[in-house]
Amino acid sequence: EGAIPVRLYRRAQADGNVPLVLYFHGGGFNTGCIDDADFPASFIAHHCPAVVLSVGYALAPQHPFPAAAEDAYAAAQWAAHNARRLNMSAKLLVVAGDDAGGSIAAGLSMMARDRREFSIAAQVLIAPMLDPSMTLLGDAARLKSELTSAQCAQRYRQYLPKCTQRMHPYAAPLESLRLAGLPAAMIATAGCDVLHIEAEKYASALIKAGIPTQVSRFAGVQHAELPAHQPMLREVVDFLRRQAGHAGLPINSG
């Protein structure tokens, strides 16, 4: 319904043979902006190296599903068609995000597979929100999680006001029965997070569907801390370098 805000991150020495990573910020679908993704986007761009396009998207409740998903798709479509302009290789288009952004990245991977207008090579999901039914939500008190079930419920009510939307695979990746053909995945979870069970369940489902998947849980870390947790980001960088190697793009990290 309007312009989509983006911010480009690129290390000065990076040449054109680097991944393009679309990063989607968190905020529970109803808050947040590209400023919130500044640290992970900068870290990935510098240490991989990669071109990182941090992408804003329409927020609920003013713009419920599928507005955010379609904004993400439009941004990815534009990036794929303008790879040369961005001085990067179209061979390795990656989607990534944390919290709600992780859900959007997972849904975008499915949209790209189904619509076949461009290809996504890998997905990075950081403490993602994947299960609007909340059937696998952890116990906040036991986990010492700052994120609670009440907060999750409020976020999903605004993003998915219709009950039927809560089963749509682009909004509820954990409900999808069709996972074949999705890109390789890295899923990072926080030990002190009510969302870690559903994210790890999704990783298991991807593995069963034959999707190369790396899953890492970071003990003692809160949901909101994970996107800026440097050990996690170093694993993201290692994962992206491996994917670049598989795509025939050896990366010089010096």
Side-chain angles (χ1 to χ4, degrees), residues 172-186:
L174 195 62
E175 300 289 351
S176 178
L177 300 177
R178 196 166 62 89
L179 300 178
L182 289 176
M186 176 184 169

Side-chain angles (χ1 to χ4, degrees), residues 5-160:
V6 297
R7 183 177 296 159
L8 192 70
Y9 297 79
R10 182 205 307 272
R11 195 170 78 174
Q13 304 94 318
D15 61 23
N17 289 319
V18 297
L20 173 59
V21 181
L22 273 70
Y23 195 99
F24 301 95
H25 65 80
F29 304 105
N30 58 7
T31 64
C33 65
I34 56 176
D35 290 342
D36 299 333
D38 186 70
F39 187 83
S42 298
F43 190 101
I44 294 168
H46 181 79
H47 291 278
C48 188
V51 174
V52 179
L53 192 69
S54 181
V55 180
Y57 50 86
L59 298 176
Q62 292 87 352
H63 303 285
F65 177 82
E70 292 296 348
D71 277 0
Y73 187 86
Q77 187 180 48
W78 178 87
H81 292 166
N82 288 275
R84 185 171 296 179
R85 230 175 110 189
L86 296 172
N87 191 30
M88 53 73 61
S89 173
K91 288 183 180 180
L92 194 60
L93 177 61
V94 179
V95 295
D98 63 85
D99 183 77
S103 174
I104 290 168
L108 176 55
S109 297
M110 295 181 181
M111 295 169 76
R113 175 200 61 188
D114 297 343
R115 298 181 183 180
R116 300 185 180 183
E117 293 184 281
F118 55 88
S119 295
I120 292 175
Q123 54 183 320
V124 177
L125 314 181
I126 301 168
M129 300 179 69
L130 302 174
D131 181 27
S133 67
M134 302 195 304
T135 55
L136 295 176
L137 213 60
D139 182 271
R142 183 180 63 81
L143 294 169
K144 299 180 181 178
S145 172
E146 295 175 350
L147 182 66
T148 67
S149 59
Q151 290 173 313
C152 292
Q154 186 264 347
R155 293 172 173 186
Y156 282 128
R157 276 195 302 270
Q158 294 190 339
Y159 181 55
L160 305 167

